Amino acid sequence: MDLRQLRYFIALNEHRSFVRAADAMGITQPAFSRSIQGLEQEFGCVLVDRGNKDLRPTPEGQVVLQHALSLVQGAALLSAEVTQMTKLDAGEVHFGCGPAPAVKLVPDAVAQFINAHPKVRTCFQVDNWEKLSRALIREEIEFFIADIRHFESDPNFQTQPLTPKRGVFFCRPGHPLLAKESLSTNDMFDFPLAATLIPPGIRKLLANLSGRIDFSPTIETEHFPALVKVVLQSNAIGVGTEEAFIEDVAKGSLVLLHWRNLPQNLESMNARCGIVSRTGFRLSPAARAMIETLVAVDRQDVSVAV
């Protein structure tokens, strides 16, 4: 018995005719019939009711057919996966990322990935870590890139750290706060705050430093370009990771704010960026290749910065 014989038997069941099935498989009818007979001899029973004009499988044939379908499909999946692992000239990858990685890391990595694997369909969605984790659980994506602090201790998730991203505060040139010689986090709350979804730990830290129990940003969006435009045209104070706005700061279109009661290098203010996937779920070859690319690009960015 081999896969070829099983494929012929499946074709016979589909076409219910030796002539049509042989034609569909691209061989002569006598050769096709001999193959089915050889399969029957191997199992020691009749697999096809030739007395029935529909050539229906016998009870034994029905059992063989069920296993044949599974084996042929499994062989096809095996072949496709090995091909993707060695060539990645097919398939697709779906993943997610937070708004900060979407500014530079993810576009740079996707560009490198499609240059190396142009035939792989690549789809990524940008959202906050809460919504991305739900998408991961629903198997809409295979992994996502975001702050990993919420997932490290959860056995349902597997995390792979990337370079931490420094959290910063920024405003437009000419903002009223810039006229003050020294600023505290209390001053920050005199103006609207514009931010992405702030991790609970960072939110609690800022609230405690300012004598508050908690707070919510006045403007919340996962779209960084929109957030920047709001800050540029208002007295809102923006909150985000430095790499997302470093070009705007260098050009002078945005100004960084520093609070005297908040150390500049406070580690808890950093976004602990990383890759999150589900524990026990095997990633596709395309997803594994994309993660390798993300890690490589992240390391390149660190070496350039140093």
Side-chain angles (χ1 to χ4, degrees):
M1 176 182 63
D2 56 34
L3 286 174
R4 176 180 52 83
Q5 288 176 301
L6 295 179
R7 290 190 182 98
Y8 290 169
F9 187 58
I10 292 170
L12 181 59
N13 183 67
E14 290 176 351
H15 295 279
R16 301 298 172 88
S17 163
F18 278 89
V19 174
R20 290 195 298 271
D23 185 59
M25 300 306 292
I27 64 172
T28 65
Q29 189 269 324
F32 184 89
S33 296
R34 285 195 298 271
S35 179
I36 298 298
Q37 290 168 359
L39 195 61
E40 290 177 321
Q41 289 172 3
E42 186 161 348
F43 283 112
C45 61
V46 176
L47 301 179
V48 181
D49 184 0
R50 291 171 176 76
N52 188 314
K53 66 177 182 179
D54 290 334
L55 294 177
R56 295 190 179 278
T58 62
E60 296 84 356
Q62 190 64 47
V63 172
V64 172
L65 178 63
Q66 291 174 359
H67 286 279
L69 289 167
S70 178
L71 288 168
V72 169
Q73 183 182 31
L77 291 173
L78 173 61
S79 176
E81 185 164 334
V82 171
T83 298
Q84 288 184 27
M85 289 178 70
T86 55
K87 298 181 179 178
L88 273 181
D89 59 357
E92 58 185 43
V93 56
H94 293 258
F95 68 99
C97 67
V103 174
K104 186 177 189 306
L105 173 61
V106 170
D108 289 354
V110 169
Q112 284 197 22
F113 182 82
I114 62 174
N115 283 338
H117 313 292
K119 294 184 179 180
V120 176
R121 185 168 180 264
T122 304
C123 306
F124 67 92
Q125 67 181 79
V126 181
D127 220 322
N128 63 58
W129 45 270
E130 285 186 336
K131 292 182 179 177
L132 290 175
S133 65
R134 290 198 289 269
L136 182 64
I137 290 171
R138 293 193 298 264
E139 299 185 34
E140 296 170 357
I141 55 178
E142 292 192 72
F143 67 91
F144 64 87
I145 308 102
D147 195 304
I148 61 175
R149 277 174 285 201
H150 327 284
F151 308 100
E152 286 178 309
S153 60
D154 191 329
N156 295 309
F157 298 99
Q158 182 175 322
T159 59
Q160 181 176 348
L162 295 172
T163 307
K165 308 301 179 185
R166 180 173 172 239
V168 296
F169 302 83
F170 57 94
C171 65
R172 63 174 177 82
H175 192 284
L177 280 180
L178 297 177
K180 300 186 69 171
E181 291 185 5
S182 179
L183 300 173
S184 76
T185 51
N186 278 319
D187 297 314
M188 171 176 64
F189 290 100
D190 290 336
F191 298 91
L193 290 179
T196 60
L197 183 65
I198 301 175
I202 296 177
R203 201 176 68 235
K204 183 178 180 181
L205 171 66
L206 293 174
N208 290 344
L209 285 172
S210 308
R212 290 168 167 77
I213 298 175
D214 203 352
F215 72 93
S216 296
T218 311
I219 305 103
E220 187 173 280
T221 177
E222 304 307 318
H223 191 270
F224 267 8
L227 190 150
V228 170
K229 286 191 175 182
V230 169
V231 172
L232 287 172
Q233 300 175 71
S234 71
N235 284 335
I237 295 172
V239 185
T241 55
E242 185 177 29
E243 71 166 3
F245 311 103
I246 194 166
E247 292 182 4
D248 296 289
V249 172
K251 291 186 297 185
S253 56
L254 290 175
V255 181
L256 295 183
L257 293 167
H258 304 286
W259 319 105
R260 63 175 180 269
N261 59 331
L262 186 65
Q264 276 193 325
N265 297 320
L266 189 63
E267 185 177 337
S268 57
M269 276 298 298
N270 292 339
R272 291 187 51 204
C273 192
I275 296 165
V276 182
S277 56
R278 289 188 71 185
T279 302
F281 281 74
R282 191 164 184 267
L283 295 171
S284 69
R288 293 198 296 272
M290 177 60 76
I291 288 174
E292 289 175 4
T293 306
L294 285 161
V295 171
V297 171
D298 180 61
R299 289 173 179 166
Q300 289 170 7
D301 290 344
V302 173
S303 63
V304 170
V306 173

